[in-house]
Amino acid sequence: MSAPLQKIETNQALTDSADAVVIGGGIVGAFAAYYLARRGLKVALLEKGRVGAEQSSRNWGWCRQQNRDARELPIATKSLDLWEQFAAETGEDTGFRRCGLLYLSNDEAELEAWARWGTFARSAGVTTHMLDGAQASERGRASGRPWKGGVFSPSDGTADPSRAAPAVARAIIALGGSVNQQCAARGIETTAGRLSAVVTEKGTIRTPVAIMAGGAWASSFCRQFDVRFPQASIRSSILSVSGGEDLPDALHTAHVSITRRGDGGYTLAISGRGRVDPTPQQMRFAPQFLPMFLRRWRSLAPGGAEGWRSGHETLARWRLDAPTPMEKMRILDPAPDKSTIALTYRRACELLPSLATSHVAAAWAGYIDSTPDGVPGIGEIESVPGFILAAGFSGHGFGIAPGAGHMVASLVTGTEHLVDPSPYHPNRFQTAAWGKVSEF
């Protein structure tokens, strides 16, 4: 069984013109379209498959400030407020709640790193509490074991990946925007060097602005008009279980992490663990990802040919009047790694004895689109005025999606930003990532 996802109906005719077109109906693209529509723009959101069907429904659902890289912390903080505001503005339920996130550890080096981050975070106005052994053991009593320490971040929380992107899509439609599923964007057209249209499998939309929020597909799409965006995907496997009693809403340890689901079950995962499925694109960008690999190689293992077959990281060029790889692979639904699923479940049951009576409800995998420094690329591509990139969220996109979408809307409309957009601009990928890889 794949990741659960709420279905929405969007039987809308393709518009022939728009003030802005958003390519990619994941959580980032949906929030970008929502904030554009709220500012009165005629917006069209295009999704080649189903809204939210790729990584936006396959993640943990964490919306956190805790342990964010300094470049992402401001947008993470603003996003928490925006998650709440979205529900108040629309009446839609994304499942967001500030349940707090709990981190537990028996490793002194890990605790010292968390303490250093906490000192920095408190200087930025973030509420985070270091826990001593007694406090950590009390909060982690469901494990039945002592802990040396931990962290509790009370203002952080979770949202529901199975319904968040569909909820935002419904809000877009309510504002008068259009949402088209089963409609792949094949490419763009330019006039006098500036973007003038988005070409889809169902027709052409005249527009001065296009936002590429296509997740793992972004780099191959950009390659069609000679924009170099270094991106590589990691196949991450997670599972959900039923059962479990008196467990924390969201708990991280080095061995396994758990998140309470809206249906009362739990999502289980091992942080950072993944398979590297070789692709032509990975080979092309391998030198730029060397700093990232050297930092995180212990969590990664070689994969198989699935990524190559999926076509999302192809180096091929395609025509605008013929089916593209996006139409051949509507939804990236890679096979979960069986050994990782078994290990994750075993570790979770060892950590939390009440899970021993649970059963695996579903298991799935997803491709996490990463950048060389682990920070997303958000900004206008200088060589193609009117084309804005919002991709490469490196496993952090779900939680910061409202802030990212708000930033995109501010870029398009020229209005004041909630946070400084400069750390995210894609121009930085022209230089090496040595010494710049995200800490967390």
Side-chain angles (χ1 to χ4, degrees):
M1 179 179 175
S2 190
L5 176 63
Q6 198 176 82
K7 292 184 178 181
I8 61 169
E9 297 298 327
T10 56
N11 298 322
Q12 295 174 289
L14 189 73
T15 183
D16 59 2
S17 65
D19 297 321
V21 174
V22 180
I23 303 168
I27 192 68
V28 172
F31 267 118
Y34 170 73
Y35 285 113
L36 287 165
R38 274 191 63 83
R39 297 181 191 210
L41 274 68
K42 181 183 178 183
V43 63
L45 177 65
L46 305 178
E47 168 52 48
K48 61 182 175 50
R50 289 174 56 198
V51 166
E54 293 188 341
Q55 194 56 25
S56 293
S57 59
R58 297 164 188 262
N59 60 85
W60 301 8
W62 283 31
C63 305
R64 64 178 174 91
Q65 301 165 100
Q66 183 65 41
N67 289 349
R68 285 283 188 190
D69 183 87
R71 289 162 290 185
E72 284 190 353
L73 183 58
I75 200 170
T77 299
K78 295 295 185 182
S79 289
L80 287 166
D81 295 335
L82 293 174
W83 277 106
E84 289 181 323
Q85 290 174 20
F86 173 78
E89 292 165 354
T90 65
E92 292 284 354
D93 182 11
T94 63
F96 175 76
R97 57 199 183 99
R98 292 188 189 249
C99 57
L101 307 182
L102 176 63
Y103 293 65
L104 297 174
S105 180
N106 283 319
D107 183 89
E108 293 289 355
E110 188 171 43
L111 290 169
E112 289 172 4
W114 292 349
R116 288 194 300 271
W117 185 89
T119 300
F120 149 71
R122 284 187 289 274
S123 71
V126 175
T127 301
T128 180
H129 303 303
M130 286 298 299
L131 307 176
D132 61 24
Q135 293 168 325
S137 298
E138 170 58 25
R139 285 194 177 272
R141 60 187 177 277
S143 68
R145 66 178 70 179
W147 296 92
K148 287 185 177 180
V151 178
F152 183 65
S153 51
S155 60
D156 289 352
T158 64
D160 187 344
S162 72
R163 51 180 160 151
V168 181
R170 287 193 296 269
I172 295 165
I173 295 171
L175 289 171
S178 65
V179 178
N180 292 95
Q181 298 181 102
Q182 299 294 313
C183 182
R186 291 176 172 174
I188 64 170
E189 293 179 350
T190 60
T191 301
R194 182 178 181 86
L195 188 139
S196 58
V198 172
V199 180
T200 83
E201 63 179 292
K202 296 181 179 179
T204 298
I205 305 175
R206 298 296 166 190
T207 182
V209 175
I211 297 98
M212 165 40 63
W217 297 88
S219 184
S220 61
F221 187 93
C222 290
R223 178 172 167 79
Q224 304 310 304
F225 42 96
D226 299 318
V227 170
R228 189 178 189 276
F229 173 40
Q231 186 181 40
S233 295
I234 303 300
R235 177 162 51 97
S236 175
S237 300
I238 64 178
L239 67 147
S240 66
V241 298
S242 63
E245 298 178 0
D246 299 323
L247 303 182
D249 289 313
L251 168 65
H252 166 79
T253 73
H255 291 289
V256 69
S257 298
I258 74 164
T259 311
R260 188 188 302 274
R261 301 177 59 82
D263 60 9
Y266 290 85
T267 295
L268 312 179
I270 299 175
S271 181
R273 190 179 183 92
R275 293 277 180 178
V276 181
D277 294 337
T279 66
Q281 185 173 291
Q282 285 198 355
M283 296 176 185
R284 179 193 183 199
F285 294 130
Q288 282 192 258
F289 278 89
L290 186 58
M292 174 76 76
F293 177 76
L294 291 175
R295 180 183 288 274
R296 300 182 178 173
W297 66 271
R298 290 179 181 85
S299 300
L300 303 175
E306 189 164 3
W308 198 294
R309 291 192 297 266
S310 295
H312 62 293
E313 293 190 347
T314 179
L315 297 183
R317 308 276 184 161
W318 56 71
R319 293 164 43 188
L320 301 185
D321 61 350
T324 67
M326 285 91 71
E327 291 145 83
K328 298 173 183 176
M329 180 62 67
R330 293 284 180 183
I331 297 172
L332 283 175
D333 187 21
D337 179 49
K338 292 181 180 179
S339 62
T340 296
I341 296 300
L343 177 63
T344 303
Y345 186 59
R346 183 170 69 250
R347 285 186 179 184
C349 291
E350 291 171 353
L351 176 68
L352 301 163
S354 71
L355 288 178
T357 58
S358 69
H359 69 273
V360 177
W364 60 85
Y367 281 114
I368 296 175
D369 56 309
S370 301
T371 63
D373 59 9
V375 175
I378 308 173
E380 186 174 34
I381 300 300
E382 294 178 354
S383 61
V384 188
F387 184 79
I388 295 173
L389 182 69
F393 281 81
S394 306
H396 310 156
F398 185 81
I400 65 173
H406 197 285
M407 182 180 292
V408 167
S410 295
L411 289 169
V412 172
T413 58
T415 51
E416 184 178 355
H417 290 278
L418 289 177
V419 300
D420 179 11
S422 59
Y424 308 97
H425 200 282
N427 279 354
R428 73 181 193 279
F429 299 130
Q430 298 174 14
T431 60
W434 293 104
K436 303 173 185 176
V437 176
S438 172
E439 288 293 329
F440 296 97

